[in-house]
């Protein structure tokens, strides 16, 4: 599929007002609409003010959608089922997982511990009725002579904001119909057709329900494994709502520590809570070391992993999402190991940028020299999810010269993707903010298989996160970005 020329795309983008006084009239309408439609976060808690534990604040959003090339959007949406299949095959290739992750050595304690749990689960022969993949492939639009979507990462665990993303799209349609964006739209055009439909509000719940059915116990429950003090509750509650209203499946919310304290595995490998069987444990936690502050959390996760309950993701899926896997996939012949069709493999590769190891191999040493010589061309990534961990620019030499050779193995080097900035309008904490921004597009993927048959393999909607152009990271929950929706051009 041909992309759009950068110059043509830039010329077709709308022009938004940057006059905050002129735009202030929209804030009350926006904030009230958010409150009415569940576009909310829990307010930061306070030990001295207990009322704050149930106080709500509007989610950070854009006032209007942000331009994305239609050709790029259509391409990555169509590619998602292929990526779902690719990562499922990676997760099932034990030799590939072992050889790739062992190359990290002992450099990353957290990944090593997840890897050791995977090996233990395999050794003990834990059997699961199926796998459920809830993925998200993230992209930035790289501005060369022609705009191209380039993959930032592939998330296999706790891919968030699917629900709120769909609601933001509804908000932008409402604002267009209600106000025609008068005073905000200074030039160009916005039509309803340019804001694509988004099934991410329902796709995750429906994917979990498909796996639940394969578990084969209609009276069982789903456990959503959450972080203590979770603020992004309503993004999660929409999934719970879908499971109940569409599929009549009950959802419980537990932390890993609460699973340790309240759950048991019986002689038939069933995971039980107060005698109630758990069919699915859907992780919205467990992607970072901070989610395992004590042995209690690790014990809670192991209860899930050794039982018959379906973990979302499985340990193999969790490991398949590591940055080291992403880097090795970029090596010649590796995608082709999992995808036989040469044309399909080439389409996957077109989304890659340069990815390099930072180990003691000749390739790794060359990459280290590249990063030290021209650090502003790259980003250094550890084996982490959740935002705030990547290293950019002048901080790269500081990192690489301060870590040991063994520690450096835990990082990869990636070409920096340069997206075209856009002057947008954000609403954060009830205030309107104008900023030059860039947007990161995520496509959700839903994959369910019993090991023999693929039951579900589809794209599951999209997320657009928008951040100030001078901010490197892009996580909403980490405080770097706002939730947006695409305006297709």
């Amino acid at each position: 599929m041909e992309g759009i020329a950068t110059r043509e795309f830039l010329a077709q983008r709308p022009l938004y007002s940057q006059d905050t006084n002129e735009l202030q009239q929209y804030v009350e309408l926006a904030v009230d609409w958010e409150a009415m439609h569940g576009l909310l976060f829990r307010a930061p808690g306070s030990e001295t003010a207990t009322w704050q534990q149930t106080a709500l604040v509007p989610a950070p959003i854009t006032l209007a959608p942000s331009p994305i090339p239609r050709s790029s959007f259509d391409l990555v949406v169509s590619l998602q089922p292929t990526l779902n299949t690719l990562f499922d095959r990676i997760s099932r290739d034990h030799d590939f997982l072992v050889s790739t992750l062992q190359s990290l050595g002992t450099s990353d304690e957290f990944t090593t511990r997840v890897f050791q749990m995977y090996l233990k689960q395999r050794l003990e022969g834990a059997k699961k009725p199926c796998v459920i993949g809830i993925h998200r492939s993230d992209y930035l639009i790289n501005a060369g002579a022609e705009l191209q979507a380039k993959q930032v990462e592939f998330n296999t665990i706790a891919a968030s904001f699917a629900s709120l993303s769909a609601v933001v799209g509804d908000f932008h349609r409402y604002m267009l119909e209600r106000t025609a964006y008068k005073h905000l739209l200074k030039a160009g055009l916005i039509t309803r057709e340019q804001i694509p439909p988004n099934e991410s509000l329902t796709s995750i719940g429906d994917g979990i329900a498909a796996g639940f059915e394969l578990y084969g116990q209609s009276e069982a429950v789903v456990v959503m494994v959450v972080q203590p003090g979770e603020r992004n509750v309503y993004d999660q509650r929409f999934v719970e709502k879908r499971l109940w209203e569409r599929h009549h499946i009950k959802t419980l919310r537990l932390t890993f520590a609460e699973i340790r304290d309240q759950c048991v595995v019986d002689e038939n490998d069933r995971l039980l809570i107060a005698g109630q069987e758990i069919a699915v444990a859907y992780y919205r936690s467990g992607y970072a070391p901070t989610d395992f502050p004590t042995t209690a959390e690790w014990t809670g996760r192991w209860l899930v992993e050794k039982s018959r309950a379906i973990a979302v993701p499985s340990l193999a899926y969790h490991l398949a999402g590591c940055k080291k896997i992403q880097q090795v996939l970029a090596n010649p012949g590796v995608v082709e190991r999992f995808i036989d069709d040469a044309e399909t493999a080439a389409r996957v590769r077109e989304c890659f940028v340069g990815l390099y190891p930072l180990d003691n191999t000749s390739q790794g040493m060359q990459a280290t020299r590249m990063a030290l010589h021209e650090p502003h061309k790259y980003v250094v990534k550890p084996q982490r999810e959740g935002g705030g961990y990547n290293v950019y620019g002048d901080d790269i030499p500081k990192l690489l010269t301060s870590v040991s050779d063994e520690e450096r193995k835990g990082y990869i080097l990636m070409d920096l993707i340069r997206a075209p900035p856009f002057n947008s309008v954000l609403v954060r904490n009830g205030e309107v903010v104008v900023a030059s921004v860039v947007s990161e597009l995520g496509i959700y993927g839903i994959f369910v298989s019993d090991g023999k048959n693929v039951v579900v393999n589809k794209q599951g909607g999209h997320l657009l996160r928008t951040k100030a152009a001078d901010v490197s990271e892009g996580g909403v929950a980490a405080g770097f970005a706002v939730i947006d929706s695409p305006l297709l051009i």
Side-chain angles (χ1 to χ4, degrees):
M1 183 179 295
E2 293 186 0
I4 185 172
T6 300
R7 181 177 297 181
E8 180 184 355
F9 173 75
L10 296 179
Q12 292 181 19
R13 298 189 305 181
L15 179 66
Y16 294 161
S17 171
Q18 301 292 283
D19 184 343
T20 56
N21 291 326
E22 188 176 36
L23 298 171
Q24 193 63 37
Q25 61 185 296
Y26 288 127
V27 172
E28 185 176 0
L29 182 62
V31 169
D32 288 348
W33 192 98
E34 287 191 83
M36 292 169 63
H37 295 83
L39 196 47
L40 301 166
F41 285 173
R42 286 260 174 90
S46 169
E47 293 182 1
T48 58
T50 54
W51 65 269
Q52 286 190 341
Q53 296 174 12
T54 55
L56 309 177
V57 295
I61 60 172
T62 57
L63 197 58
S66 295
I68 292 291
R70 184 183 294 273
S71 58
S72 296
F73 180 85
D74 290 343
L75 173 64
V76 296
V77 167
S78 68
L79 190 62
Q80 189 60 42
T82 298
L83 295 178
N84 294 342
T85 299
L86 171 62
F87 278 83
D88 181 68
R89 290 174 179 172
I90 290 170
S91 75
R92 296 178 187 278
D93 192 327
H94 175 70
D95 292 342
F96 177 77
L97 283 179
V98 169
S99 62
T100 302
L101 296 171
Q102 281 184 340
S103 70
L104 293 172
T106 58
S107 59
D108 188 291
E109 182 181 354
F110 174 69
T111 303
T112 298
R113 195 154 184 179
V114 175
F115 182 48
Q116 293 301 321
M117 187 177 288
Y118 159 76
L119 294 176
K120 182 180 179 182
Q121 181 194 57
R122 185 178 173 88
L123 182 65
E124 295 192 3
K127 302 296 183 183
K128 306 286 185 175
C130 72
V131 293
I132 304 172
I134 307 293
H135 309 312
R136 195 185 68 228
S137 185
D138 292 336
Y139 304 87
L140 284 168
I141 306 301
N142 193 54
E146 187 177 276
L147 294 171
Q148 291 183 306
K150 294 296 185 180
Q151 189 180 60
V152 176
E153 61 186 358
F154 191 89
N155 302 279
T156 59
I157 182 169
S160 60
F161 291 107
S163 303
L164 296 193
S165 174
V167 180
V168 170
D170 291 340
F171 166 72
H172 287 155
R173 293 184 195 90
Y174 166 79
M175 289 293 289
L176 176 62
E177 295 172 357
R178 173 73 169 76
T179 71
Y181 282 122
K182 185 180 180 182
H183 305 299
L184 180 136
L185 188 61
K186 293 301 182 183
L189 184 68
I190 300 177
T191 66
R192 184 180 177 89
E193 184 269 339
Q194 290 177 279
I195 305 173
N198 190 357
E199 62 181 286
S200 61
L201 185 66
T202 58
S203 63
I204 291 181
D206 291 348
I208 292 171
F212 182 96
E213 184 174 347
L214 291 175
Y215 185 87
Q217 177 50 260
S218 61
E219 299 302 316
V221 298
V222 169
V223 165
M224 190 178 298
V225 185
V226 299
Q227 295 169 326
E230 175 65 70
R231 293 187 60 213
N232 187 25
V233 171
Y234 301 97
D235 184 58
Q236 300 169 359
R237 290 290 192 186
F238 277 115
V239 177
E240 179 180 338
K241 180 175 183 286
R242 179 69 173 183
L243 283 168
W244 178 251
E245 293 184 349
R246 178 63 182 268
H247 305 284
H248 211 67
I249 298 171
K250 182 179 179 181
T251 303
L252 306 177
R253 295 172 61 85
L254 297 173
T255 65
F256 277 119
E258 288 170 335
I259 290 174
R260 193 281 305 262
D261 292 339
Q262 300 178 34
C263 297
V264 296
V265 178
D266 72 4
E267 66 278 5
N268 296 313
D269 297 327
R270 299 182 305 165
L271 183 64
L272 306 174
I273 179 168
Q276 177 76 65
E277 189 168 356
I278 298 169
V280 178
Y282 169 45
Y283 295 169
R284 294 297 292 260
S285 176
Y287 52 83
T290 49
D291 291 326
F292 298 89
T294 71
T295 57
E297 287 78 17
W298 285 109
T299 302
R301 180 162 185 178
W302 176 240
L303 281 176
V304 176
E305 303 296 352
K306 76 174 185 177
S307 75
R308 187 173 181 268
I310 305 160
V312 186
S314 67
L315 285 163
Y317 267 23
H318 184 169
L319 293 168
C322 288
K323 302 300 185 293
K324 186 63 181 178
I325 299 290
Q326 181 185 9
Q327 178 258 304
V328 171
L329 270 179
N331 291 339
V334 179
V335 170
E336 292 75 11
R337 173 174 177 155
F338 302 101
I339 298 177
D340 295 332
D341 183 73
E343 183 177 344
T344 302
R347 289 179 65 228
V348 171
R349 286 194 173 279
E350 284 177 3
C351 292
F352 292 172
V353 296
L355 291 147
Y356 320 93
L358 287 171
D359 52 24
N360 294 327
T361 64
S362 59
Q363 186 185 10
M365 298 304 292
Q366 174 63 21
T368 301
R369 289 191 292 269
M370 288 161 43
L372 291 172
H373 180 60
E374 296 182 292
H376 291 276
K377 288 186 175 182
Y378 305 101
V379 54
V380 171
K381 294 185 170 186
Q383 313 302 311
R384 291 287 180 276
E385 302 294 341
Y389 297 104
N390 295 337
V391 182
Y392 298 83
D394 291 336
D395 290 328
I396 291 178
K398 296 176 186 177
L399 171 72
L400 295 182
T401 56
S402 65
V403 298
S404 67
D405 289 352
E406 183 67 20
E407 290 171 326
R408 199 172 66 244
K409 292 180 182 178
Y411 296 88
I412 67 164
L413 185 70
M414 178 176 169
D415 289 346
L416 192 64
I417 306 169
R418 301 189 183 277
F422 173 71
N423 292 329
S424 187
V425 182
L426 320 179
V427 180
R428 184 190 289 275
N429 297 325
E431 296 182 359
V432 63
V433 179
V434 295
S436 176
V437 302
V438 295
S439 296
E440 185 171 318
L441 175 65
I443 307 299
Y444 293 97
I446 313 299
F447 188 94
V448 180
S449 171
D450 64 5
K452 296 180 180 179
N453 303 297
V454 176
V455 178
V456 179
N457 184 13
K458 58 179 288 188
Q459 68 87 16
H462 58 267
L463 165 69
L464 197 70
R465 291 171 295 174
T466 291
K467 62 183 180 181
D470 59 356
V471 173
S472 298
E473 295 282 9
V476 178
F480 302 112
V482 303
I483 313 171
D484 200 349
S485 65
L487 181 74
L488 300 184
I489 292 178

